[in-house]
Amino acid sequence: EYPFKSYWLDTENSALQWERDTLLFVIPDSLKSHPDCDVRIQRIEELSITDSDQAIDVTDEAIVMEKLKDVFQFESLEGLLMSKDYVMALYISLQLQSLYPENVYLKAVTAHALLELAAAFSRNEFLEYVEFADMNYPSGYNQMLTFLHNMNSATLYKLASYCLREKLALVPDHAYVGFLEVLNDHKDLITEEIVNRYTQQYEDEYFTRLLRDKTISPSPSGRK
């Protein structure tokens, strides 16, 4: 529903040189530190061949793994945020919302990733988080990278604000949403006082710690 501008997907700023001559970007196998995944799979299959008399019944394990499959998706998403891989977190949170359109956590991750990328843009650190498109990446992920390379901090903040206003505004007393609102409302400066107000309202140790990590410590001269 957010007004979309066609130039956001313009590839001029995303350096897709590999599309013009793919041979320039093929890494010889002799220069790779590890075999390709297909080669590894084949070798593991060769090593895993067992005698038919030693067959293992994995029915119970398969049932457990099926139950845990959805949990793993969300845990991996949290891991991406913790490792500050905000682009992949944004990409996967949007993908999972097609399966879980009402999930509050996924909507919050989308807003969180946009806020962190906007802040990185403001600090002139955008390229530390957003790489260029690559021929080995899925087309959808490359399109995401192209989109981000056509952004600026103001537009990313507007998109994050839209997510908070239109997708999360009706979520009551949610620690994650409250954390995101603080990031959005205090883009330039998060003080200890702001952190304390958040703590009094939500009493959430995890997000309080994340906010405290973003506070600006006073310099020796007393300036912040």
Side-chain angles (χ1 to χ4, degrees):
E1 298 172 7
Y2 189 91
F4 195 89
K5 298 179 176 57
S6 59
Y7 71 83
W8 287 352
L9 295 180
D10 188 348
T11 59
E12 182 179 351
N13 295 323
S14 57
L16 300 179
Q17 294 97 337
W18 51 266
E19 287 190 339
R20 290 189 280 274
D21 189 352
T22 57
L23 295 179
L24 293 175
F25 292 85
V26 175
I27 302 176
D29 190 70
S30 59
L31 294 180
K32 297 177 180 177
S33 60
H34 297 81
D36 284 337
C37 289
D38 291 342
V39 175
R40 297 189 206 187
I41 291 171
Q42 180 181 351
R43 292 180 182 175
I44 290 174
E45 287 177 344
E46 292 170 356
L47 291 172
S48 64
I49 295 176
T50 60
D51 190 281
S52 59
D53 294 335
Q54 298 176 337
I56 301 172
D57 184 3
V58 295
T59 304
D60 292 339
E61 287 80 357
I63 293 173
V64 172
M65 288 299 295
E66 188 65 26
K67 292 180 179 179
L68 291 175
K69 187 172 62 176
D70 292 339
V71 176
F72 292 157
Q73 293 182 95
F74 286 85
E75 288 191 346
S76 64
L77 188 53
E78 183 68 18
L80 290 170
L81 289 174
M82 294 179 68
S83 62
K84 299 184 178 181
D85 191 349
Y86 301 122
V87 178
M88 186 61 76
L90 176 62
Y91 181 68
I92 292 180
S93 69
L94 292 172
Q95 295 282 345
L96 288 177
Q97 282 178 72
S98 65
L99 300 175
Y100 311 101
E102 302 304 319
N103 188 280
V104 171
Y105 175 73
L106 294 176
K107 295 175 182 179
V109 170
T110 296
H112 189 179
L114 290 169
L115 285 168
E116 296 288 2
L117 290 171
F121 211 120
S122 298
R123 299 191 305 266
N124 294 319
E125 297 175 355
F126 191 66
L127 292 180
E128 294 183 18
Y129 298 92
V130 184
E131 58 188 334
F132 288 100
D134 188 287
M135 62 183 296
N136 295 309
Y137 295 158
S139 58
Y141 187 67
N142 278 334
Q143 192 173 53
M144 169 75 74
L145 294 172
T146 298
F147 169 80
L148 290 172
H149 277 286
N150 284 295
M151 291 290 101
N152 54 47
S153 60
T155 305
L156 287 170
Y157 274 126
K158 287 180 181 177
L159 288 170
S161 296
Y162 175 84
C163 288
L164 288 170
R165 184 179 68 252
E166 300 296 330
K167 306 297 182 182
L168 296 167
L170 298 180
V171 179
D173 198 33
H174 196 288
Y176 196 0
V177 176
F179 166 79
L180 297 176
E181 289 173 343
V182 172
L183 293 188
N184 193 49
D185 294 340
H186 304 279
K187 301 176 180 64
D188 300 321
L189 178 64
I190 295 177
T191 65
E192 193 66 29
E193 180 183 356
I194 292 170
V195 177
N196 291 336
R197 286 204 302 266
Y198 173 86
T199 304
Q200 291 173 4
Q201 181 175 356
Y202 294 103
E203 299 182 353
D204 187 285
E205 293 182 4
Y206 177 71
F207 290 113
T208 295
R209 187 175 72 252
L210 293 185
L211 275 182
R212 187 160 282 119
D213 289 342
K214 294 179 179 294
T215 58
I216 300 177
S217 302
S219 65
S221 63
R223 297 172 60 191
K224 292 187 177 181

